[in-house]
Amino acid sequence: METPQTIPTLSLKGRNALITGAGSGIGAATAELFLQAGANVALLDIDSERLIRTRKRIEADGGDVLTASVDIASPGDVETAFAQISSAWPRLDVVIANAGINGVWAPLEKISAEEWNRTMQVNLTGAFLTLQNALPLLRKGGGSVVLISSINGTRVFSNSGATAYACSKAALVALAKMAALELARDRIRVNVICPGSVETAIDQSTQSRSLGTVRQPVIFPSGEVPLTGGKPASPNQVAEAALFLASDLSSHITGTEIFVDGAQSLLKG
């Protein structure tokens, strides 16, 4: 008699998950959803007050919750955070590299090298440092890495002035594909989520200058997000995609982008 096949589920019971940018928005929603799915979570964010609020809100869901205030663009900060995680957990099963900023949106000639570098350091170098430092713990048993990119720089190029942001997010897709092949032998999967408009506080990190001089006079159909009548996604809808990629239901998926945008990028690309 054949042994019944085990059906994969969305359960993360007993797994250890690291989430950056976990103080609010997509990161906080992912932390809450992962805890509900049975995971232990380590939450990293540059804002310690936001981390405390997130932790208090989700602790009732049970599970082990670790927190560390980290500038994700600082190699020293990231190394220190991972030393703390290593002392608490023997391995990592899931890494969600979500921390990011919008940075400065402006014509090319009005973006300083310092502003360009800061966007790249947080959005791209931060993801690289997260993945690099996670590897020793991920290699203990394999796992899933999810990089949070954007429709900007991957499908949408009509947001003139968002050059630094779009380039940093496009580079995350290349990072994921390179890492997916390199790390496949370690049974580590690396995928990307590209959200469209989401109800988060990331716009608070946006500095806009002289956008009217570079924006093209294009009139799009009404309703920026066709699937929802113009409404942006909730952070939880992005978190649900992260849960899928973290779970066994995506066990043969790596080096792949998932767009969570309600067809926004198909309208505005």
Side-chain angles (χ1 to χ4, degrees):
M1 182 175 180
E2 293 185 3
T3 303
Q5 183 179 358
T6 301
I7 300 175
T9 70
L10 286 172
S11 173
L12 299 180
K13 185 173 177 58
R15 299 185 189 182
N16 301 325
L18 167 75
I19 303 163
T20 69
S24 62
I26 293 170
T30 302
E32 184 170 2
L33 191 60
F34 279 19
L35 271 175
Q36 292 171 359
N40 305 310
V41 295
L43 313 180
L44 274 56
D45 198 283
I46 196 170
D47 190 321
S48 56
E49 292 184 0
R50 288 192 309 203
L51 271 179
I52 291 171
R53 289 197 296 269
T54 298
R55 179 169 187 160
K56 286 181 177 179
R57 188 176 69 253
I58 69 177
E59 274 184 327
D61 291 325
D64 193 4
V65 182
L66 308 177
T67 58
S69 180
V70 174
D71 179 354
I72 207 67
S74 165
D77 274 16
V78 177
E79 289 173 8
T80 298
F82 273 92
Q84 296 172 2
I85 294 167
S86 297
S87 66
W89 295 342
R91 70 181 195 286
L92 270 175
D93 306 292
V94 182
V95 172
I96 309 295
N98 165 70
I101 59 173
N102 272 355
V104 174
W105 290 29
L108 286 171
E109 67 271 20
K110 294 186 180 295
I111 302 173
S112 70
E114 291 76 13
E115 292 166 341
W116 172 277
N117 288 339
R118 182 57 183 169
T119 300
M120 289 294 174
Q121 287 164 356
V122 175
N123 294 353
L124 178 58
T125 304
F128 161 74
L129 292 172
T130 300
L131 175 56
Q132 185 182 61
N133 282 272
L135 284 179
L137 290 170
L138 284 167
R139 283 187 167 124
K140 298 290 182 66
S144 173
V145 177
V146 181
L147 309 183
I148 305 300
S149 179
S150 171
I151 61 173
N152 289 289
T154 54
R155 276 185 177 172
V156 171
F157 300 91
S158 53
N159 283 333
S160 301
T163 307
Y165 178 80
C167 287
S168 71
K169 292 299 186 177
L172 286 176
V173 175
L175 172 60
K177 291 179 185 293
M178 294 296 294
L181 184 58
E182 180 177 334
L183 301 177
R185 69 190 68 183
D186 298 309
R187 292 181 294 114
I188 298 171
R189 299 182 295 108
V190 187
N191 291 292
V192 188
I193 294 175
C194 299
S197 178
V198 182
E199 293 177 339
T200 71
I202 193 171
D203 287 343
Q204 296 175 10
S205 70
T206 307
Q207 300 176 50
S208 300
R209 290 198 297 266
S210 306
L211 291 179
T213 64
V214 291
R215 287 283 167 86
Q216 298 297 319
V218 177
I219 299 177
F220 294 107
S222 61
E224 185 175 287
V225 187
L227 192 62
T228 53
K231 295 180 181 178
S234 70
N236 201 59
Q237 287 174 304
V238 182
E240 289 165 353
L243 176 59
F244 166 70
L245 290 173
S247 76
D248 292 339
L249 286 175
S250 61
S251 62
H252 204 57
I253 300 175
T254 192
T256 298
E257 305 103 299
I258 292 181
F259 287 83
V260 184
D261 70 344
Q264 180 183 8
S265 61
L266 302 179
L267 176 71
K268 296 188 63 176

